Amino acid sequence: MSSTGGLERKYPPLAPYGPRHFPRWFWFSDVVIAFAMFSIVYSLFLTTNAWTLPLETVTISLDPLMLPIYTVYSTVRTFAAYALILVFSLIFGYVAAHSRPAERILEPLVYVLQSLPVLSFLPLVMFTFVFLLPDSRLGLEMGSIVLMFTTQAANVAIAFHNSLKTVPSALRDYSKVYRLSAWQRFTKIELPFAAIPLIWNSVLSVAGCWFFLMACELFTLIDRRITLPGVGSYLALAADSGDMTAVLWGLGALVFIIVLTDLLIWRPLIIWSSKFKYEYVTHEVPDRSSVIDFVAKSRITRILVALGKGVDSIPFPDLRRSPSRASSLRPMPRNMKAVFAGISLLALSYIFYLLASILIRLPLEMWFEVLWGTLSTIARVETALLLALAWTLPVGIKIGTNPRITKSIQPVLQVIASIPATALFPVILLAIIEGGGGLNIASIILMLLGMQWYLLFNIIAGASSIPEDLLEASKLAGLRGFRLWRTVILPAIVPYVITGSITAQGSAFNASVVSEYIHFSGQVLSTSGLGALIALATDTGNLPLLVASSIAISATVVTLNNFLWKRLYNFCKDRYSL
Amino acid sequence: MTKAMAIADTTERASPAEPLLLVENLSVNYHLPNGTFSGIVKEISFRVNEGEVIAILGPSGCGKSTILKCIVGLVKPTGGRIFFKGKEVSGVTPGIAMIFQTTPLLPWLTVLDNVLLGLKSKNIPRKEAMNRVRDVLTMIGLNGFEHAYPKELSSSMKQRVGFATAFVTMPELLLMDEPFSQLDALTAENLRGELMDLHLAKKIPAKSIILITNDIEEAVMTADRILVLSKDPARIIDEIPITIPHKRDKTSAEFVKMVDRVYSSLLRQVEESRPEHEQEEDKLPPIPAAKPGAVIGLTNIISEMGGRVELSVLGSRQALDLATLMPLIEATKQLGLIEVIGRTIVLTEAGMRVSQAPPAEQKEIIGAVLLASVPLFQHVVKLLYESTSTLIPAEPFMELLTKQFGKELARTQWGLLIGWGRYGGILNYDGSKNCLSLDPSFHLPDEPA
């Protein structure tokens, strides 16, 4: 395991990061890692300590000097939510992939979960935790973390589940022939195979958590206004009091922590994950990460890796050494199926009954409001979509068809994309209001800012997957400009545009609750729309309105996805896939 | 054998009289949409004794891999039984290892970890496992590559890792599914030679080997017995013992004789073609499974060689492997362009005309030949003639094919129908509308042009 000294710079190894690549020990790495581990532990200590303090001491100050500790609190909250998301997705994906009946229940559940915006969960989650841990800050904190989890868990879970379902049969046969136990199969085959989508979706999820940070740290519960100390509530409070300097400070803190996590965690993780690409030939030299190189020089890292290997080689007591059956799914016995069906029917009817009893209390005029709100929000979302496409299409195609630009600009874009638009919103809103516009326009812009990145990245991916020789041949044939676009480029990227649009649309609907109803400079600005209705309902504790609008928004998203986008996607997939 | 492997070799030996593996009446079927069964494998029986190398030879897609998968326990047979060392096989059995066509190495593990994976299921202490792995890697020639990732290896090295993973489990029966087919000829020969050397020197833990191959020479070179399979469904049509002592020489007279013997066996099957299908009244035989270009190319080659050629000469001259050659010969025969007499292939008059005509005329002749010899075309043309509109949606034809051949085969048949139909100037297919129509220049033989 000796290093090759300076040669490594000139001739970077073809192999991904692995045990062979431990470079020479550098004492400074140990120092830095020790410091990092210590600061993480200290942050956790500070935060959990604060959580055990009594409720009355919860205050928020707009003093910028409080920002560091607020940042620590928010970061711990976000990553705690992520830990929950990860565990949930692993369990969900595994169970849904290995058991057909479970899949039939869980899959639609997660899709509904994805289509509901954050505020719809607020009452349920918060009531549960306040009930479990009454009159304590811990209950509120737990609630806030779980709230964040509910909004961002779905895409990771779905991505992991899809990955598991598409494990190539060659690998599955391999694990059967060598009689790997379920745990070994999971850690050696399934998890690594799904690693890349898992990591990418985790990045998206955490970015989403930052996006909704404000909504999860500052909210109304029945009649009380709850503020959990953190960067989100700081920003919201600053916007509410019209203190623009404070807004800028808060924005700075948020951007700082996001860029930090991107550089130190996500970027190295993504580079490391190229090890898991399911391919046997590689034509490109894999990227190097200076962070990984630096960390690898530390002795502490080596100890941890050796520990990991040691744990891996402990022969696990084999719990179910049954000769692997030739058929993969075990069909459930008849009577179990009946019992299962009976229980789910009962549960469903009870839920319907509950919902109906709540909805009945909504007066008729409000139903018209909900209908009108649905139409307005749909109009707003699709307008934002069209506007986003107007700029992301040309820019994305330009970047995607130019491999050198792609490589250099991608990391920059990722950082910009991870800055939550909700934090910028007060500034933008101010500018628009002073310019004479209203919340209507501002909310479209906010939706735009949130969803455009999904479109851009998908379009870049699509454009960069157009084969080089197709582009060259077209240029030789004299196709350029608009004609080149129309005949070659646009048809080729249509599936990607659709995939991006589905995600973008979902995100826009989710963002409607924070863009159609805002506390700004002491007053409440709102415009007609489902998001506004949901936010209003949360603010005033109007449960029937909340349930009605939530159902409306969920139904809208699911309907649009299934009847518009999926059809479009299937049509284009056959026609236009290269 | 090395020390580590000798210590681990405490397996029970089967008595010499009892075969290591006994396959009895193995059948594998799958359901067709119209409710009937279609057989992939039909009543295969054979035995493998200790120390034997058996080669299973047959055209592609005839179910050879399925047989191996049944033996190793990945697929449950529809009928018949398999006995390994006297005990019936149900599910994956220790003692049987399989090597795939392209080893599905895990790209995120090093060579060492990949080979160790094979031992994960047995609770062997880490030190002993590492020793075993090191020994096997040395034996197979991968010394020094322990910490390499699959991405860094060439294809022959990747196959060696596959071998190592199988050997390290100390199997008694080794199954190999076309292990050399994905390698280039030289590398394949090298690796094959090494493997045989190891086997003859008894350095491989496995006592018996079953090898599936497409290459007749490879089979004759390595095997003690060759099982020749037919396809659709797979049946054993011949069992040929090879008694030539090792090391076998490709150019020796006895080797050539054995190769000829195998070719005859395969051709005999083509001669007695398809009584099974013709017996069932409403079942139309499938369209010849070869491309128009290949068929015409074959007639050209035979014409160049004087109108008649021996099969073995054709195979070696054109460097065509069995998988490509046999279906091509069958297809050309089905179209009536060649005849098979013993081991010789003879161009018929129609074949002669096709090979010598200019391209435009070739199409016409092929069109006429298709109508005359492929009933499915007659059927399709009849339907098109009888319909009132010129464009007919493709769905009813797809359904017809699916009912006849099952979903999988229907797709290939559809592609062949369109391909041949277009080439012979009979059919036109509009992809965007998914419709079939008669080619305007097409006319029935007894109609004026």
Side-chain angles (χ1 to χ4, degrees):
Chain A
M1 314 238 178
S2 59
S3 89
T4 52
L7 274 177
E8 256 178 24
R9 284 229 148 200
K10 256 175 105 188
Y11 303 105
L14 283 174
Y17 283 101
R20 208 173 45 168
H21 292 280
F22 280 125
R24 219 176 4 218
W25 176 60
F26 184 34
W27 62 270
F28 189 57
S29 300
D30 275 330
V31 170
V32 170
I33 293 201
F35 176 71
M37 289 171 84
F38 172 73
S39 24
I40 292 178
V41 172
Y42 184 60
S43 309
L44 282 172
F45 171 71
L46 274 180
T47 315
T48 46
N49 205 27
W51 288 356
T52 56
L53 292 175
L55 206 53
E56 296 80 45
T57 59
V58 175
T59 47
I60 275 270
S61 120
L62 284 179
D63 181 5
L65 288 176
M66 293 295 283
L67 269 178
I69 188 71
Y70 287 166
T71 315
V72 167
Y73 290 158
S74 293
T75 314
V76 171
R77 251 181 236 124
T78 306
F79 279 98
Y82 174 66
L84 211 59
I85 291 174
L86 192 62
V87 169
F88 170 76
S89 305
L90 291 178
I91 297 179
F92 166 83
Y94 188 80
V95 169
H98 287 274
S99 152
R100 198 58 71 72
E103 186 183 17
R104 263 190 237 134
I105 300 179
L106 291 175
E107 215 176 346
L109 208 68
V110 166
Y111 272 108
V112 171
L113 194 79
Q114 193 177 36
S115 62
L116 286 171
V118 54
L119 290 182
S120 303
F121 294 106
L122 188 71
L124 185 64
V125 170
M126 280 317 190
F127 283 147
T128 316
F129 278 97
V130 168
F131 177 73
L132 287 175
L133 300 155
D135 246 356
S136 91
R137 177 149 157 208
L138 187 63
L140 294 172
E141 292 281 356
M142 292 285 115
S144 160
I145 293 176
V146 172
L147 193 62
M148 244 191 256
F149 153 79
T150 50
T151 59
Q152 300 303 322
N155 68 316
V156 182
I158 292 174
F160 188 60
H161 172 53
N162 280 339
S163 260
L164 286 187
K165 280 208 294 192
T166 52
V167 173
S169 54
L171 289 185
R172 274 190 253 144
D173 286 344
Y174 201 57
S175 78
K176 276 194 214 152
V177 170
Y178 290 108
R179 306 180 73 214
L180 297 177
S181 71
W183 174 253
Q184 286 160 348
R185 191 183 60 214
F186 183 66
T187 47
K188 301 264 173 214
I189 296 184
E190 293 175 324
L191 199 54
F193 184 75
I196 293 180
L198 197 63
I199 292 177
W200 277 99
N201 276 282
S202 297
V203 177
L204 282 175
S205 262
V206 174
C209 287
W210 293 120
F211 192 85
F212 287 108
L213 192 66
M214 292 157 72
C216 294
E217 290 184 347
L218 187 71
F219 46 82
T220 311
L221 200 60
I222 320 172
D223 51 347
R224 288 189 297 175
R225 194 129 185 85
I226 309 272
T227 325
L228 294 170
V231 183
S233 43
Y234 182 93
L235 274 169
L237 210 65
D240 202 7
S241 35
D243 185 348
M244 273 303 139
T245 345
V247 167
L248 288 173
W249 277 116
L251 201 61
L254 195 57
V255 172
F256 173 74
I257 187 69
I258 287 178
V259 172
L260 196 71
T261 47
D262 188 68
L263 285 176
L264 294 182
I265 302 180
W266 299 126
R267 192 77 56 75
L269 207 59
I270 289 175
I271 291 181
W272 177 73
S273 73
S274 66
K275 167 184 197 180
F276 298 109
K277 252 197 248 183
Y278 188 63
E279 59 182 20
Y280 290 122
V281 216
T282 175
H283 299 292
E284 23 174 85
V285 179
D287 292 324
R288 310 295 294 175
S289 158
S290 38
V291 174
I292 299 185
D293 288 334
F294 183 76
V295 164
K297 289 191 182 138
S298 139
R299 280 242 176 94
I300 300 182
T301 319
R302 258 182 254 192
I303 296 176
L304 289 173
V305 170
L307 264 176
K309 287 214 137 197
V311 166
D312 180 53
S313 62
I314 296 176
F316 269 81
D318 202 19
L319 302 166
R320 251 190 337 127
R321 182 62 86 190
S322 55
S324 69
R325 294 176 178 232
S327 58
S328 50
L329 289 168
R330 220 174 307 187
M332 267 211 299
R334 225 12 101 69
N335 16 9
M336 270 291 285
K337 260 196 194 156
V339 170
F340 214 58
I343 294 182
S344 16
L345 207 60
L346 270 174
L348 271 176
S349 9
Y350 184 63
I351 293 178
F352 272 130
Y353 169 70
L354 267 181
L355 287 176
S357 59
I358 297 177
L359 286 175
I360 283 186
R361 293 172 5 212
L362 195 67
L364 195 61
E365 318 87 65
M366 292 309 274
W367 281 103
F368 283 124
E369 287 281 334
V370 170
L371 187 64
W372 178 243
T374 313
L375 295 172
S376 324
T377 308
I378 293 179
R380 226 170 266 127
V381 166
E382 306 306 336
T383 315
L385 185 63
L386 288 172
L387 284 175
L389 277 173
W391 83 265
T392 51
L393 266 178
V395 174
I397 291 177
K398 203 62 209 246
I399 297 180
T401 46
N402 231 310
R404 245 178 301 151
I405 300 184
T406 314
K407 238 190 168 185
S408 56
I409 216 176
Q410 192 97 311
V412 176
L413 282 178
Q414 274 168 6
V415 173
I416 299 179
S418 53
I419 299 173
T422 41
L424 296 170
F425 201 42
V427 182
I428 297 174
L429 192 59
L430 193 65
I432 292 186
I433 288 184
E434 305 222 319
L439 190 59
N440 212 354
I441 298 182
S443 72
I444 294 183
I445 295 193
L446 181 64
M447 286 181 188
L448 178 72
L449 288 176
M451 58 145 65
Q452 64 195 0
W453 304 113
Y454 293 112
L455 281 171
L456 185 66
F457 286 127
N458 269 292
I459 292 176
I460 293 181
S464 53
S465 72
I466 303 179
E468 272 295 317
D469 32 13
L470 186 60
L471 286 172
E472 281 169 16
S474 319
K475 288 201 186 125
L476 278 176
L479 283 176
R480 51 189 86 254
F482 184 62
R483 290 192 68 203
L484 178 68
W485 272 42
R486 204 171 65 110
T487 40
V488 178
I489 297 186
L490 284 178
I493 62 170
V494 160
Y496 292 87
V497 172
I498 294 183
T499 313
S501 300
I502 297 180
T503 330
Q505 177 200 264
S507 126
F509 273 109
N510 263 329
S512 67
V513 300
V514 291
S515 62
E516 290 175 349
Y517 183 94
I518 311 217
H519 291 268
F520 190 69
S521 283
Q523 28 167 226
V524 167
L525 296 169
S526 82
T527 176
S528 68
L530 278 178
L533 287 174
I534 293 180
L536 175 70
T538 324
D539 243 10
T540 52
N542 187 344
L543 194 59
L545 183 59
L546 181 65
V547 172
S549 347
S550 301
I551 293 181
I553 211 175
S554 172
T556 312
V557 173
V558 171
T559 315
L560 278 174
N561 274 351
N562 277 331
F563 290 102
L564 177 63
W565 294 115
K566 279 229 173 102
R567 293 239 172 113
L568 214 54
Y569 186 78
N570 285 333
F571 175 72
C572 295
K573 196 164 65 120
D574 292 326
R575 271 289 184 101
Y576 296 120
S577 57
L578 284 167
Chain B
M1 279 200 268
T2 61
K3 188 173 169 200
M5 282 165 44
I7 295 174
D9 183 30
T10 50
T11 51
E12 206 183 277
R13 290 172 191 277
S15 58
E18 202 186 301
L20 191 62
L21 180 77
L22 180 62
V23 175
E24 259 180 24
N25 288 326
L26 179 69
S27 293
V28 181
N29 298 332
Y30 69 94
H31 289 261
L32 278 182
N34 58 5
T36 58
F37 284 87
S38 178
I40 310 179
V41 175
K42 190 163 174 183
E43 291 184 7
I44 297 234
S45 301
F46 64 93
R47 56 174 28 209
V48 179
N49 300 317
E50 247 184 75
E52 273 194 306
V53 176
I54 308 278
I56 300 185
L57 200 60
S60 279
C62 73
K64 304 179 297 219
S65 302
T66 318
I67 300 175
L68 278 198
K69 284 195 179 155
C70 289
I71 298 176
V72 91
L74 283 176
V75 168
K76 200 161 180 233
T78 324
R81 304 198 293 174
I82 304 180
F83 296 92
F84 178 61
K85 290 205 299 194
K87 279 198 248 167
E88 190 163 355
V89 163
S90 60
V92 175
T93 325
I96 307 182
M98 179 146 150
I99 293 177
F100 301 82
Q101 206 164 14
T102 38
T103 313
L105 295 176
L106 300 177
W108 41 82
L109 292 180
T110 56
V111 167
L112 188 67
D113 289 327
N114 263 296
V115 179
L116 268 177
L117 207 62
L119 291 179
K120 276 270 184 239
S121 62
K122 318 187 188 235
N123 282 325
I124 301 180
R126 191 173 166 83
K127 236 182 165 202
E128 201 201 310
M130 291 294 278
N131 285 337
R132 251 208 240 182
V133 170
R134 291 235 158 79
D135 287 335
V136 172
L137 285 179
T138 316
M139 176 172 78
I140 205 83
L142 283 174
N143 226 342
F145 284 94
E146 289 96 353
H147 298 294
Y149 280 95
K151 284 190 191 140
E152 303 175 81
L153 302 176
S154 72
S155 44
S156 88
M157 284 198 263
K158 287 199 264 263
Q159 277 302 77
R160 284 174 205 254
V161 179
F163 285 126
T165 321
F167 291 163
V168 93
T169 58
M170 313 282 288
E172 291 171 71
L173 177 63
L174 186 66
L175 306 175
M176 302 206 272
D177 187 357
E178 296 188 42
F180 311 112
S181 64
Q182 298 296 324
L183 306 171
D184 63 87
L186 275 172
T187 325
E189 176 133 4
N190 189 23
L191 199 54
R192 200 186 313 136
E194 279 185 39
L195 190 73
M196 283 314 289
D197 288 341
L198 287 174
H199 173 71
L200 292 169
K202 298 221 190 316
K203 286 217 184 112
I204 309 182
K207 300 192 197 113
S208 308
I209 301 178
I210 302 183
L211 169 72
I212 289 190
T213 178
N214 250 331
D215 187 344
I216 298 186
E217 287 187 356
E218 177 175 298
V220 177
M221 185 66 98
T222 54
D224 297 318
R225 252 191 302 148
I226 299 184
L227 301 176
V228 183
L229 296 186
S230 72
K231 80 167 181 178
D232 204 30
R235 273 175 297 126
I236 300 186
I237 52 175
D238 207 354
E239 195 168 314
I240 307 175
I242 314 273
T243 47
I244 313 175
H246 291 279
K247 301 254 198 153
R248 297 175 183 167
D249 181 8
K250 263 196 215 186
T251 54
S252 70
E254 28 180 21
F255 192 94
V256 173
K257 210 171 82 175
M258 282 282 115
V259 171
D260 264 354
R261 166 97 202 271
V262 177
Y263 271 117
S264 325
S265 183
L266 287 164
L267 273 182
R268 214 183 318 133
Q269 180 211 153
V270 175
E271 265 184 301
E272 324 154 346
S273 57
R274 308 307 104 170
E276 217 172 306
H277 281 281
E278 275 148 26
Q279 269 165 23
E280 304 170 49
E281 289 294 315
D282 45 336
K283 252 206 165 199
L284 296 166
I287 302 175
K291 296 209 174 97
V295 166
I296 304 226
L298 183 64
T299 55
N300 283 335
I301 294 174
I302 304 181
S303 158
E304 270 172 36
M305 295 169 95
R308 59 189 307 136
V309 67
E310 290 227 358
L311 181 54
S312 41
V313 174
L314 184 66
S316 57
R317 205 189 104 150
Q318 297 301 323
L320 291 170
D321 67 81
L322 211 58
T324 337
L325 192 56
M326 297 313 296
L328 185 57
I329 294 181
E330 269 186 52
T332 322
K333 174 171 179 287
Q334 191 181 349
L335 289 172
L337 298 175
I338 56 170
E339 254 173 29
V340 173
I341 308 174
R343 288 200 306 256
T344 326
I345 304 177
V346 184
L347 266 187
T348 59
E349 214 195 289
M352 194 72 75
R353 268 189 299 142
V354 165
S355 63
Q356 288 168 353
E361 228 189 280
Q362 268 178 350
K363 288 184 73 153
E364 269 192 48
I365 305 178
I366 292 284
V369 160
L370 280 174
L371 266 192
S373 52
V374 184
L376 199 61
F377 266 102
Q378 295 164 356
H379 191 78
V380 169
V381 167
K382 196 173 78 157
L383 286 174
L384 284 169
Y385 250 111
E386 286 169 1
S387 83
T388 43
S389 54
T390 38
L391 281 179
I392 306 185
E395 279 88 18
F397 294 102
M398 266 304 263
E399 275 174 31
L400 169 73
L401 289 175
T402 317
K403 252 196 276 179
Q404 291 279 336
F405 304 115
K407 206 160 180 214
E408 284 277 326
L409 221 53
R411 289 196 148 267
T412 0
Q413 288 293 304
W414 176 249
L416 288 169
L417 180 74
I418 305 291
W420 280 102
R422 277 176 170 159
Y423 187 82
I426 304 178
L427 297 176
N428 271 338
Y429 174 65
D430 189 340
S432 55
K433 302 199 196 96
N434 206 25
C435 287
L436 272 182
S437 61
L438 275 181
D439 190 294
S441 63
F442 173 71
H443 57 278
L444 284 180
D446 35 77
E447 261 183 9

